[in-house]
Amino acid sequence: MKIPQSFLPSSTFAAGPAQGLEEVRKTTLAETLFERRHRTPFITKELYTKTALNLKKLFKLPKDYLVLFFPGGATAAMDAVAWSLNEGSVSGLNLGAFSELWNKKICGALPPNIKRDFVDFDYKKPESAKKLNVKSSLVLLTPNETSTGLALPDSLLKDVCAHKGKNTLIAWDATSCAGARVLPSCFDVMLFAGQKAFGAPGGTCVIFLSPAAVKRALDAEHKKNIPYFLNLSRAVQKALIFQPFNTPCNTTIWAIGKACSYMLKHGGLKNMQKLTFNHSKTVLDYAKKSGWLTPLIEEEKYRSFTTLTLKITAPDIKDTQINKALSSTKRANLIDGIEKYSSVKENSLRIGCFPFTDAKGCAQFKKLCKTLDFIYKELKNNTVKR
């Protein structure tokens, strides 16, 4: 299939690692401080401290909240939170692959005496969220699920926080939305990898901790056995002096810092949310009139606008065909296609709509839609000819 070159976008629409900030993409590796020792005063002050303070400013965190950089990405951070911050019970909502990773796989490996209470959330039956045990010592939520494109609305997040137990910590995996969605400020723990809205490489995760979460992390070391790497107490002690736990990927933290500075200079999270929403709207407007695509999550209230999962309704068109056509362009930004997540059964496509996928507007998304339209018509014509 020969797609007209003028149709092809120059951005990558992957759900992560996502498109990086243009300034970051043009920077040589040596300039990212990847060679500098992570305990030197220069790195501590110029990289970790500045990035942490800018993150607090961007997310408008209370002064007593702690920012730490944790090695290993979001999965390692989710593991550390589960081990270090539960006090005998943990609960949460299952929305898709990544929330289930936290709830079922990670928490499934906790000691057998830990009480687990997880609920499958059905947005078509929102009352299912009422089954969530909000009195557990640790409640795990995923505001935006990357796999299915399902999202928890602010009203639900606030309701959980309003009814939590006296000794409950609310923890969010905001990897799919941090930097692209203005979230309520009622969490004790927020973690996110920088590889989505911040357009950074993987390998290091950001964790925000409330004073209550910091205290529990520090106390946990004396109350129970925790695997060394997953013990947040040591990470907290380092973060209090603006140092990372273990050797981090300086390049990732540097890229997060650059993205954070850009966001602060360009209207903060409010404008990043508006930009991301407009990206998704461009795709959804095309899907509505296309005749072959529709949102997997039908109700807008529960639909993520950071990563869109679109169901293919044409019976003779497969997601693999679309991705094969994109890959055949041999363009680095399109060669991986816009594949659905492996656990999603529906014939579908997944599109990352993050701020830096097109920081200047929606032109790249319009090109993507034009490209998809061309591919669809070519596939339909070939089907008719056969």
Side-chain angles (χ1 to χ4, degrees):
M1 186 182 296
K2 293 184 179 180
I3 306 171
Q5 294 294 303
S6 61
F7 286 15
L8 298 175
S10 58
S11 292
T12 177
F13 300 90
Q19 180 88 10
L21 179 65
E22 192 61 23
E23 177 188 348
V24 170
R25 300 179 79 236
K26 291 181 177 179
T27 303
T28 61
L29 182 60
E31 294 176 76
T32 69
L33 307 175
F34 84 103
E35 299 167 305
R36 299 301 299 272
R37 194 169 69 86
H38 62 290
R39 301 292 184 213
T40 61
F42 172 80
I43 292 297
T44 298
K45 181 180 178 181
E46 295 300 318
L47 184 57
Y48 307 145
T49 304
K50 283 187 176 180
T51 302
L53 292 176
N54 276 339
L55 283 167
K56 292 186 76 168
K57 186 176 180 181
L58 180 67
F59 285 89
K60 298 182 179 178
L61 297 181
K63 290 183 178 180
D64 54 1
Y65 270 54
L66 187 67
V67 178
L68 60 87
F69 302 109
F70 196 79
T75 303
M78 291 155 70
D79 220 343
V81 167
W83 276 87
S84 293
L85 300 184
N86 88 78
E87 287 194 331
S89 59
V90 59
S91 61
L93 293 177
N94 297 320
L95 314 180
F98 293 94
S99 49
E100 289 181 10
L101 166 67
W102 206 2
N103 296 339
K104 295 181 179 180
K105 295 181 181 179
I106 289 175
C107 289
L110 292 172
N113 63 309
I114 305 300
K115 183 181 178 182
R116 301 164 183 80
D117 194 358
F118 300 112
V119 176
D120 292 333
F121 177 68
D122 183 352
Y123 77 94
K124 293 182 180 179
K125 299 177 181 178
E127 64 274 12
S128 59
K130 297 294 183 182
K131 297 178 182 178
L132 175 66
N133 180 6
V134 297
K135 306 297 182 182
S136 294
S137 69
L138 181 64
V139 176
L140 309 178
L141 296 175
T142 305
N144 291 62
E145 170 61 56
T146 306
S147 61
T148 57
L150 181 59
L152 299 177
D154 288 356
S155 57
L156 193 155
L157 296 172
K158 290 178 180 178
D159 187 62
V160 171
C161 293
H163 295 92
K164 71 174 186 175
K166 183 179 179 181
N167 296 313
T168 298
L169 294 181
I170 304 293
W172 295 347
D173 170 22
T175 295
S176 192
C177 61
R181 176 182 172 185
V182 180
L183 290 162
S185 57
C186 59
F187 61 87
D188 294 288
V189 183
M190 183 198 288
L191 65 90
F192 60 90
Q195 63 174 358
K196 298 188 185 291
F198 287 85
T204 298
C205 189
V206 175
I207 308 179
F208 299 150
L209 298 172
S210 70
V214 169
K215 184 178 185 305
R216 186 175 293 185
L218 293 172
D219 291 345
E221 188 171 24
H222 308 292
K223 291 182 177 180
K224 56 187 175 181
N225 291 322
I226 305 172
Y228 180 85
F229 184 77
L230 305 179
N231 191 333
L232 279 181
S233 174
R234 296 181 179 88
V236 165
Q237 291 173 48
K238 290 294 184 183
L240 289 170
I241 54 174
F242 294 102
Q243 287 191 3
F245 172 58
N246 276 9
T247 305
C249 176
N250 278 356
T251 296
T252 298
I253 299 174
W254 176 89
I256 290 173
K258 286 292 183 183
C260 190
S261 295
Y262 178 93
M263 291 176 177
L264 285 169
K265 292 176 182 177
H266 292 82
L269 287 183
K270 187 176 180 180
N271 274 10
M272 295 304 109
Q273 175 176 272
K274 182 179 179 181
L275 183 59
T276 304
F277 182 81
N278 287 340
H279 290 166
S280 67
K281 185 178 184 301
T282 299
V283 178
L284 288 168
D285 285 347
Y286 165 71
K288 188 176 181 179
K289 66 181 182 181
S290 71
W292 66 285
L293 289 172
T294 190
L296 180 64
I297 305 302
E298 298 167 4
E299 193 171 339
E300 184 178 0
K301 180 180 179 180
Y302 296 100
R303 186 190 308 143
S304 175
F305 58 85
T306 61
T307 52
L308 281 176
T309 298
L310 298 175
K311 185 166 61 174
I312 299 173
T313 57
D316 51 350
I317 303 296
K318 303 300 179 186
D319 59 290
T320 51
Q321 293 175 296
I322 302 295
N323 285 296
K324 185 177 180 180
L326 290 172
S327 182
S328 69
T329 65
K330 301 192 183 304
R331 288 198 174 199
N333 61 303
L334 298 175
I335 201 166
D336 292 333
I338 45 176
E339 295 181 344
K340 66 180 181 179
Y341 194 72
S342 56
S343 66
V344 176
K345 296 178 181 179
E346 289 85 354
N347 182 24
S348 56
L349 305 171
R350 187 174 57 147
I351 300 170
C353 297
F354 305 111
F356 301 148
T357 307
D358 191 345
K360 296 179 180 179
C362 298
Q364 293 300 314
F365 286 88
K366 290 176 182 178
K367 281 195 166 189
L368 174 66
C369 293
K370 196 170 184 178
T371 298
L372 291 176
D373 199 56
F374 179 87
I375 293 171
Y376 168 72
K377 289 175 179 176
E378 286 291 294
L379 291 173
K380 285 289 288 184
N381 288 337
N382 287 339
T383 301
V384 170
K385 288 177 183 178
R386 286 200 300 269

